[in-house]
Amino acid sequence: MGVGSLEDVLFPEIDVRLERVSVTAEVLFVEVAACGPRPRCPDCRFLARRVHSTYERGLAERPLAGQKLAIRLRVRRFFCDRRSCPRKTFVEQVTGLSERYRRSSLGLKQWLRAVAVELGGRAGERLCRRLHFAAGRSRLLELLEAPPVPERAPRVLGVDEFAFRRGRRYGTLLVDIETGRPVDVLPDRSSESFAAWLTAHPGSEIICRDRASAYTRAVKEAAPHALEVADRWHLLQNLSSAVEKTCHQHRGCLRKRIEDDNQTDIPAPPLIVLPPPALPQTPIVQRTLHRHADVHRMLERGWTISAIARHLGLDRKTVRHFKNTDLDVLLSSARDRRPNGVLEPFKPYLTARFAAGHTNATSLFHEIRERGYQGSTQVVRRHIAALRGGTVEPVRVTIPSPRKITSWIMRDRDRLTTSEVEQLEQVRLACPDIARACDLARVFRDLVRKRRGHLLLEWIRQAEGDGHGPMRSFAGFLRQDLDAVTAGLTLEWSSGMVEGHVNRVKTLKRAMYGRASFRLLRTRILTRP
């Protein structure tokens, strides 16, 4: 290969002249000289006329055929002949090859920056070592630069929060809904930060958001003419929560109906005398009691939801849940949040034997072992101790959990099995309030999926008129945000794309073990496709 062809391969369309190539055991040295047109002064932009001197500078370059490549570049120093310019001399920079104060080529800089974006500091340093790059983690992180944010916001802007550390610190992700690319990342989720961003980047005509009140205040303050669109998925999630609360509050109706059906034409069983049921002293029950007390004590003192969340280290949704949910419902959920395990089918038998006076855990363990029990004796001992202490209610009948009933209601009827359809009909017959919640939920789900926003106000009136407490609260919540909810049930835009990017942020955080700084995380979010 001739010198001219080698020059074209190593430095295509770069104004340098190849002078010499030398090879050592470890490094390939290439000596070149700058031969481009006369440059301009970097301060006054005056075209240089006279050469002051020349000197050599070393540049690290990308490896060639698995071998380190180093460039010895001879450049010219020029005079600046403009008398008013404070700079007397300056050195030329070779376009596409060098820049001021950097000892690596622009091509190598691009490679290192790509490594830093994908892997970060320590992992990128290990990869560079394998690829024969001379780059440490500090140098890699210095190369991270997020792309510039456009001066004008996209026409359709999506906004949602994500967690730097769940329950403690959150940020805001902004996405262009039309192109599907992230626009910017904010270091918190406050209304002030989002309002300041909207003020500095005008142009949004449609803003897709969830039900967060902070974003609503920011939009009304900084972009009052923008149309707000509530996210449909979050609407269905809020509806599901209202239905589940209704089922929680009416578990007694279901239990009474099933017990009455089971007692038809069956002689009454002998009276079972057990200690009165008491609340189990489990960590989750104690935590629920303390958390409920703390939240309501701060509410009585006039604290806001956000202030309580920051003080207790909780998510605002959690604080709002403890504010709006009865303590009995919270304790019931906490008490039931224990795995059934292998002992569950044998609890009725153990309860009956315990009531009959057989309280020896070892004997009861051998009895149920003969009947197919595969667990350990410690599980049986704990259950008998709970019966003895009065912290376990007698097992009477099995009823569907509120979450299971909610899943039946929120799913399409053709996706339910025959058994699930029959059980749901039994639940509807047992409790008129659950039946009404089921009807309202199915109508609202139809409004969401078929985008019948013009019927929303009529649905709200029906829910407020004859719906149970949680459903009325949900309807009132919709009325407070009526315009955004109506737009969400009418227009094609939604925050689903933003939720996808939030999931991508979670993946990036896991790849960086959750220790990435805001600068690194923001750069990776905005640069990765």
Side-chain angles (χ1 to χ4, degrees):
M1 181 181 292
V3 173
S5 58
L6 181 59
E7 178 179 312
D8 295 336
V9 171
L10 294 179
F11 308 102
E13 300 180 359
I14 296 179
D15 294 329
V16 293
R17 180 178 63 257
L18 182 62
E19 295 183 340
R20 184 181 176 186
V21 177
S22 59
V23 182
T24 64
E26 297 180 353
V27 184
L28 174 64
F29 290 98
V30 178
E31 299 180 9
V32 295
C35 59
R38 292 178 298 168
R40 294 182 179 272
C41 174
D43 288 351
C44 66
R45 309 305 300 167
F46 188 77
L47 185 63
R49 298 176 181 175
R50 296 183 298 150
V51 176
H52 177 277
S53 58
T54 63
Y55 78 97
E56 283 190 355
R57 57 183 297 191
L59 297 177
E61 180 56 289
R62 293 159 290 185
L64 180 64
Q67 191 172 14
K68 290 184 180 180
L69 176 61
I71 299 175
R72 292 172 178 169
L73 174 63
R74 190 169 77 251
V75 292
R76 297 167 290 182
R77 180 179 293 275
F78 288 86
F79 286 102
C80 180
D81 294 325
R82 176 170 287 181
R83 295 181 179 180
S84 59
C85 181
R87 184 182 294 274
K88 300 305 179 182
T89 63
F90 62 91
V91 177
E92 65 177 334
Q93 302 299 328
V94 179
T95 304
L97 182 62
S98 67
E99 60 182 354
R100 297 177 66 188
Y101 309 124
R102 189 167 298 279
R103 301 180 63 181
S104 62
S105 68
L106 294 180
L108 179 58
K109 175 186 174 183
Q110 294 175 358
W111 279 27
L112 295 178
R113 184 175 182 274
V115 170
V117 168
E118 295 295 332
L119 298 178
R122 297 183 186 276
E125 180 182 4
R126 292 192 294 268
L127 178 62
C128 290
R129 194 180 302 121
R130 295 291 298 272
L131 297 178
H132 305 291
F133 295 169
R137 61 186 181 91
S138 298
R139 181 184 179 188
L140 291 174
L141 295 179
E142 288 175 356
L143 295 175
L144 289 176
E145 296 178 0
V149 179
E151 295 184 358
R152 294 188 61 82
R155 188 180 73 90
V156 184
L157 177 68
V159 56
D160 201 356
E161 63 184 27
F162 67 93
F164 291 108
R165 186 177 180 186
R166 188 171 182 179
R168 295 182 178 272
R169 181 166 169 251
Y170 288 82
T172 299
L173 180 62
L174 306 177
V175 177
D176 187 345
I177 299 297
E178 291 182 307
T179 63
R181 298 192 62 85
V183 177
D184 203 354
V185 182
L186 306 183
D188 55 40
R189 60 178 180 184
S190 65
S191 60
E192 293 79 10
S193 297
F194 186 39
W197 192 93
L198 290 175
T199 303
H201 304 83
S204 292
E205 301 177 6
I206 300 173
I207 298 179
C208 301
R209 56 167 176 80
D210 60 6
R211 308 298 305 283
S213 58
Y215 298 143
T216 303
R217 291 194 300 270
V219 172
K220 294 185 182 302
E221 175 185 346
H225 302 294
L227 176 62
E228 299 180 61
V229 179
D231 182 51
R232 291 186 286 272
W233 183 87
H234 286 92
L235 293 176
L236 291 177
Q237 184 187 42
N238 295 337
L239 173 65
S240 177
S241 299
V243 173
E244 186 173 353
K245 289 180 181 179
T246 303
C247 297
H248 258 298
Q249 296 176 4
H250 292 273
R251 296 189 71 187
C253 301
L254 306 181
R255 187 180 298 278
K256 185 176 183 301
R257 173 61 181 262
I258 296 177
E259 287 179 347
D260 292 343
D261 292 344
N262 291 341
Q263 291 175 0
T264 304
D265 300 329
I266 298 178
L271 181 63
I272 297 178
V273 181
L274 286 176
L279 199 63
Q281 301 299 314
T282 58
I284 189 171
V285 170
Q286 295 300 315
R287 185 179 65 195
T288 301
L289 287 171
H290 295 321
R291 188 169 289 176
H292 182 271
D294 292 341
V295 169
H296 282 269
R297 183 174 62 255
M298 293 180 182
L299 288 171
E300 292 175 357
R301 296 177 181 176
W303 289 44
T304 63
I305 297 293
S306 298
I308 296 174
R310 287 192 297 268
H311 183 76
L312 298 179
L314 301 174
D315 187 88
R316 291 181 299 171
K317 297 175 184 176
T318 303
V319 176
R320 192 175 291 111
H321 177 65
F322 275 84
K323 172 188 174 184
N324 300 328
T325 307
D326 295 335
L327 180 59
D328 293 338
V329 176
L330 294 172
L331 292 176
S332 175
S333 177
R335 183 173 51 200
D336 294 341
R337 209 178 302 169
R338 290 178 292 176
N340 291 332
V342 295
L343 186 63
E344 190 67 23
F346 303 93
K347 286 183 178 180
Y349 177 83
L350 292 174
T351 301
R353 295 288 289 164
F354 182 86
H358 300 277
T359 59
N360 186 281
T362 303
S363 300
L364 293 173
F365 167 74
H366 289 297
E367 291 182 19
I368 63 174
R369 188 69 176 270
E370 295 174 356
R371 288 164 173 78
Y373 175 66
Q374 299 293 328
S376 66
T377 181
Q378 292 297 327
V379 178
V380 179
R381 290 182 183 277
R382 283 196 296 267
H383 183 68
I384 297 302
L387 283 174
R388 190 177 293 113
T391 59
V392 174
E393 296 183 4
V395 180
R396 300 180 182 90
V397 293
T398 301
I399 61 174
S401 66
R403 181 165 297 182
K404 183 175 293 186
I405 298 173
T406 303
S407 69
W408 296 339
I409 294 175
M410 297 302 296
R411 280 187 287 166
D412 292 332
R413 189 180 181 88
D414 54 2
R415 296 180 59 187
L416 299 177
T417 64
T418 304
S419 174
E420 291 173 340
V421 172
E422 293 176 355
Q423 293 183 72
L424 181 57
E425 290 302 321
Q426 292 297 323
V427 170
R428 289 172 58 91
L429 292 174
C431 182
D433 288 329
I434 294 181
R436 182 54 182 160
C438 176
D439 295 335
L440 290 171
R442 286 177 170 174
V443 172
F444 186 84
R445 187 185 61 194
D446 185 71
L447 297 182
V448 172
R449 293 184 176 178
K450 297 183 179 179
R451 298 181 190 170
R452 296 176 176 175
H454 60 284
L455 301 177
L456 175 63
L457 194 57
E458 180 182 352
W459 184 92
I460 293 178
R461 294 194 187 102
Q462 293 180 1
E464 292 176 338
D466 55 3
H468 191 59
M471 297 300 293
R472 287 199 301 268
S473 299
F474 174 68
F477 201 35
L478 296 182
R479 185 181 288 277
Q480 295 176 3
D481 201 15
L482 184 60
D483 294 339
V485 176
T486 303
L489 269 60
T490 305
L491 303 178
E492 61 177 322
W493 309 110
S494 178
S495 298
M497 189 173 298
V498 188
E499 293 291 342
H501 280 283
V502 170
N503 290 332
R504 187 170 68 88
V505 171
K506 296 177 182 178
T507 304
L508 292 175
K509 287 176 54 192
R510 283 193 294 268
M512 295 183 285
Y513 305 102
R515 297 178 297 186
S517 64
F518 172 72
R519 175 169 168 263
L520 173 59
L521 186 61
R522 178 176 180 270
T523 302
R524 294 189 66 177
I525 292 173
L526 298 181
T527 54
R528 291 190 63 174

